[in-house]
Amino acid sequence: MSEHVRVEKSGGVLAITLARPERRNAITVAMYAALAEAVESAAGDDSIRVITFQGEGQDFAAGNDLADFLSALPRDTTDIPVWRLLRALTECETPIAAAVQGNCVGIGTTMLLHCDLVIAEEGARFSLPFVDLGLVPEAASSLLLPRLAGRGRGARYLLLGEAFGVNEAMEIGLVSHRSEPGQLTETMADVVVRLLAKPVGALRQTQRLLRTGAREEILERMQLESEVFAERLASTEAKQAISAFFEKRKKD
């Protein structure tokens, strides 16, 4: 497990917190492994009725910790902890709710595509800067975002890397609930209480039905994306783009 992922089980809820606020919850390889393990553990635990995700501090997640990701990269880059997490989210048969605030960058946005309910605080921003880093999308976002938003908006988000806010996220269906500033915890708690009040069998079966037919296609697209992502990581273009990112961060 990672010290930067907090997992708490109480009253039928498995609460998962990204707890690295000093780095805006940028996700390391160890964090991906801990997140995957937490989601996978729910699969065989009937006492868990709802899984929740949240980020500690001002941001939900600033995407990959690129320095850690590159330094810990195994030889087989198509089988790394981030893909394990994404598969676990796709195959999960327990309702998942996420509470997001501040910046949701890269996987901070794409993982929300695999949550059943997403509560966003006013001011949250979503961005997918994969192309800017010489990379390609993951989490089947190349399939799911155009389906949600339409091809034109999907191209804006993925080709141009344009950020968007809560209003647009609600409009396309990425976000299900809006929270006033400072009310995110309370709004999330209300949603969770409502889920827990439902008949558990009907809730689980409905969640399965909502995802039936899509899982296989999503997993197939994830596999394709992971293969292309691995190729891009090894490319000169990506190495130059990532070096430029680190240089800019040093100047900032």
Side-chain angles (χ1 to χ4, degrees):
M1 297 292 284
S2 166
E3 62 181 308
H4 299 302
V5 173
R6 191 163 61 248
V7 181
E8 301 164 294
K9 181 181 171 183
S10 176
V13 178
L14 186 72
I16 303 171
T17 303
L18 302 174
R20 199 185 181 208
E22 71 281 2
R23 294 299 302 274
R24 304 174 75 171
N25 296 323
I27 305 176
T28 64
V29 171
M31 289 171 71
Y32 279 123
L35 290 166
E37 184 176 328
V39 176
E40 289 166 353
S41 72
D45 190 342
D46 290 337
S47 70
I48 296 172
R49 298 174 61 183
V50 178
I51 298 170
T52 65
F53 282 97
Q54 59 188 347
E56 191 174 291
Q58 66 179 347
D59 296 305
F60 176 65
N64 275 324
D65 182 316
L66 279 172
D68 174 83
F69 184 80
L70 293 172
S71 67
L73 204 61
R75 261 180 212 179
D76 182 2
T77 53
T78 63
D79 188 25
I80 53 182
V82 60
W83 310 136
R84 180 182 160 203
L85 169 63
L86 294 173
R87 287 192 294 268
L89 290 172
T90 302
E91 294 169 348
C92 185
E93 295 188 345
T94 302
I96 304 173
V100 303
Q101 79 282 3
N103 291 300
C104 304
V105 181
I107 194 163
T109 290
T110 60
M111 69 181 291
L112 302 178
L113 293 164
H114 304 280
C115 296
D116 299 294
L117 296 165
V118 176
I119 302 94
E121 186 176 61
E122 288 289 356
R125 296 288 289 172
F126 307 86
S127 59
L128 301 154
F130 299 107
V131 169
D132 293 340
L133 294 169
L135 303 171
V136 296
E138 27 77 324
S141 55
S142 63
L143 171 72
L144 297 174
L145 266 176
R147 277 193 183 165
L148 276 181
R151 183 167 178 176
R153 282 190 181 181
R156 278 176 45 208
Y157 304 150
L158 294 174
L159 292 179
L160 293 175
E162 289 186 6
F164 55 101
V166 175
N167 286 344
E168 200 163 335
M170 286 199 75
E171 189 180 330
I172 66 173
L174 177 65
V175 166
S176 60
H177 296 74
R178 183 199 312 267
S179 160
E180 294 298 321
Q183 297 298 311
L184 183 62
T185 300
E186 291 80 1
T187 306
M188 175 68 147
D190 178 66
V191 169
V192 171
V193 166
R194 289 164 61 191
L195 285 171
L196 291 173
K198 307 294 183 187
V200 63
L203 191 68
R204 284 181 179 273
Q205 290 293 348
T206 299
Q207 194 261 13
R208 281 187 198 131
L209 288 168
L210 281 167
R211 296 185 177 216
T212 293
R215 280 192 176 95
E216 293 72 19
E217 188 178 15
I218 289 170
L219 289 168
E220 183 179 342
R221 181 59 64 93
M222 280 184 184
Q223 179 62 34
L224 175 60
E225 287 175 344
S226 70
E227 291 169 2
V228 180
F229 195 99
E231 291 173 5
R232 294 302 309 162
L233 266 180
S235 71
T236 300
E237 186 176 67
K239 289 173 183 174
Q240 291 173 342
I242 292 169
S243 293
F245 167 81
F246 285 128
E247 284 302 312
K248 180 178 182 299
R249 194 169 69 178
K250 281 179 187 175
K251 291 176 184 175
D252 293 342

